[in-house]
Amino acid sequence: MAGTAVTPSPAAGSMTGLNIGANVSASFVNSFRVAAVAERLATHVQPDFVSDDVEFFNLCLSLARGIDYAVANNEVPPKAQDLPLLLKQVCQRKNSLLLQAPIMVLMISVKNACKIGWFSKKETEELFALANELGSSFCSPGDINTGDSGSLSSVSKIMERFYPRMKMGQTLASLEVQAGYGAYVIDFHISKNTAHSPQEKIWLFVAQTDSIETSACIISPPQVNFLLNGKGVERRTNVHVDAGPQLPTNVTHMLKYGTNLLQAVGQFNGRYVIFVAFMSVMSSLDTPVLLDYVQPAVSTVDSDSDIIEGPSRISLNCPISYSRIGTPVKGHSCKHLQVLRSL
């Protein structure tokens, strides 16, 4: 993360001799855990060691948690320089069906450590290559970004047109997918030092980019499940999907400091962009004053016309949000009698 200061963790030496009541920091304990787990894991990759798959499984997950904690707190454990060689040896066991998943979890955490400068440029490239190779066994290829995306221009137009009271801030992760079945995974980390305003929350934004002229572009793909950290996102799964246009989903409560995982699995009925980003909602005090509607001038009716306007029925529910209309609005040039609900 550019511009982020990374703090070295306290030296993790032997804890022998520490008083039980001593004031030991959480960072020190985590550094000790990373060092101890890495040391034990190193014995499992020795040629003459009879490795126990269950212990290897648990060690991978424990090391991943230790790395996540350090990344979330912008710390670098003292033993970090010893990890690249160990991780390459661990990845040699990727063909084991039992161990593929924990190794993938570990490498996701390692990728986030690479992004904040734990390792040299060469080691970072090698570890990224290993993680991507392993990840191809679990998900479909896609245009994945952990930061700003090239599709921001389309997103900006959609935000201005359909979410005028919302403002998008820092992007944590983004994904562009093509039509068809796919199983996509995006991992991203959130640091405790991530800069954002108190008004900003983290939202999931999903939009179809084939056509952004109508509100149909903000309908969640009906056959796709969105999950964050293993839990379904409200109204974006097959269990409960909203059939109409949707606002971005506030997912702040589903996330944690450190590594997070977004999954999008199912049949996409077009090209979509998926964003996890900080967003703020404009307060009602900042809402522009709505002008009174002025009926457009009626053109002269042709007496020979076969089209005669009959009685019309207007719904009190908004045709876009399907909710009760509070403040009715419509476009300046709109000649329809039906009004919409002000967001």
Side-chain angles (χ1 to χ4, degrees), residues 34-92:
V34 170
V37 171
E39 182 178 351
R40 179 59 182 168
L41 196 55
T43 63
H44 279 260
V45 297
Q46 297 302 316
D48 55 346
F49 184 81
V50 181
S51 178
D52 175 42
D53 284 349
V54 175
E55 184 182 10
F56 190 94
F57 186 109
N58 292 326
L59 287 170
C60 287
L61 297 183
S62 182
L63 183 56
R65 286 193 293 269
I67 293 173
D68 283 346
Y69 181 90
V71 168
N73 289 276
N74 288 321
E75 298 172 349
V76 181
K79 297 292 184 179
Q81 70 275 6
D82 299 332
L83 291 178
L85 177 59
L86 172 62
L87 293 166
K88 294 172 189 176
Q89 294 172 321
V90 167
C91 286
Q92 291 177 3

Side-chain angles (χ1 to χ4, degrees), residues 15 17-25 29:
M15 296 186 74
L18 285 178
N19 294 327
I20 299 299
N23 185 17
V24 180
S25 69
V29 173

Side-chain angles (χ1 to χ4, degrees), residues 18 21 27 44 49 55 70 73 110 129 132 159 199 202 216-217 220 228 241 255-256 260-261 266 275 315 320 323 338:
L18 285 178
S27 295
H44 279 260
F49 184 81
E55 184 182 10
N73 289 276
V110 170
N132 292 334
M159 294 290 293
Q199 293 77 26
I202 302 176
C217 70
S220 189
L228 267 170
V241 63
L255 302 175
K256 57 184 175 62
N260 295 271
L261 203 66
F275 274 70
S315 173
I320 294 180
S323 58
Q338 178 64 53

